[in-house]
Amino acid sequence: MSNIEQTLSIIKPDAVERNLIEEIKSIFIKKNLKIKENKKIHITKEEAAEFYKVHQTKPFYDDLCAYLSSGPIVVMILEGNNAVLSNREIMGATDPKQAKDNTIRKLYGISIDKNSVHGSDSIENAKKEINFFFKN
Ligand code: ADP
Ligand code: MG
C-alpha cells in the first residue's frame, strides 16, 4: 500500500559550495522522491537558530546555527512513498564516517557538522519544517 508523505530536505552550505546541487537532486529523483518545491536561499543566524531550536541545549548548537547560515542552501519539499523515512535512508547516518555506502552523506559528507544534507526526522517535524520555509 502506498503512503504518500512530504518531508523537508536541505542541501547544506558545504554541498552548495561544491556544486553538488544537481547530483543530490538526481539521487532523490532516482529513489522516487519528487521535488515538489525548491528554492535557493541564504538564511540569517537568527533564522537558523529558530529552525534548529530543538537542539538549543546541545554543545554544538551555536556552531550549527553559524554553519547553516554561512552560505546559500537549497530547501526542498520532497514527496513520495514513506518520504520521511525514505529520505533519512537516502541521506545516511549523521556522521558521514558511519553512513552506509551510496548514501548522500557517505558520498559527499565531509564531517559530522559538514554533512551535506538535512532531512526531517518525523512526520510532525516535517510539517513544521515545511511550514518554516514554505509558509505563504
Ligand atoms: P540529523 O541531521 O542526522 O538529523 P541531528 O538532528 O542529531 O542529526 O543533528 C542536527 C545536525 O547537527 C547534524 O546534521 C549535524 O550537522 C549537527 N551535529 C549533530 N551532532 C553533532 C556533533 N556531535 N558535533 C557537531 N555537529 C553535530
Ligand atoms: Mg535531525
Side-chain angles (χ1 to χ4, degrees):
M1 229 178 68
S2 75
N3 174 41
I4 302 302
E5 297 171 354
Q6 291 190 336
T7 190
L8 185 89
S9 171
I10 303 177
I11 304 178
K12 292 183 176 181
D14 67 275
V16 173
E17 192 174 78
R18 287 176 290 147
N19 296 313
L20 294 169
I21 296 170
E22 293 311 315
E23 273 100 321
I24 291 173
K25 284 182 179 172
S26 76
I27 293 174
F28 292 130
I29 293 162
K30 271 183 229 155
K31 303 271 184 173
N32 295 315
L33 291 178
K34 278 189 203 149
I35 300 169
K36 298 291 282 187
E37 297 284 347
N38 153 58
K39 62 183 177 184
K40 192 178 190 180
I41 55 175
H42 190 160
I43 62 172
T44 64
K45 193 174 175 193
E46 290 69 30
E47 288 167 324
E50 178 64 21
F51 176 73
Y52 270 136
K53 72 174 183 236
V54 291
H55 294 301
Q56 63 193 339
T57 59
K58 308 269 172 69
F60 55 83
Y61 179 62
D62 192 61
D63 287 345
L64 179 61
C65 299
Y67 173 60
L68 196 70
S69 57
S70 68
I73 59 175
V74 175
V75 293
M76 296 172 285
I77 300 176
L78 303 180
E79 186 180 279
N81 200 28
N82 301 317
V84 173
L85 185 60
S86 173
N87 180 38
R88 295 292 305 190
E89 287 175 356
I90 295 165
M91 288 163 57
T94 306
D95 182 352
K97 289 201 290 285
Q98 313 289 331
K100 290 185 188 153
D101 284 352
N102 293 315
T103 60
I104 293 171
R105 284 166 164 173
K106 175 75 170 196
L107 290 168
Y108 303 123
I110 296 169
S111 57
I112 194 165
D113 46 330
K114 296 185 175 179
N115 60 6
S116 302
V117 279
H118 166 85
S120 311
D121 62 4
S122 65
I123 302 264
E124 190 193 347
N125 285 333
K127 286 183 182 147
K128 285 186 197 159
E129 292 179 0
I130 287 170
N131 192 48
F132 184 84
F133 284 110
F134 293 98
K135 61 181 169 251
N136 301 309

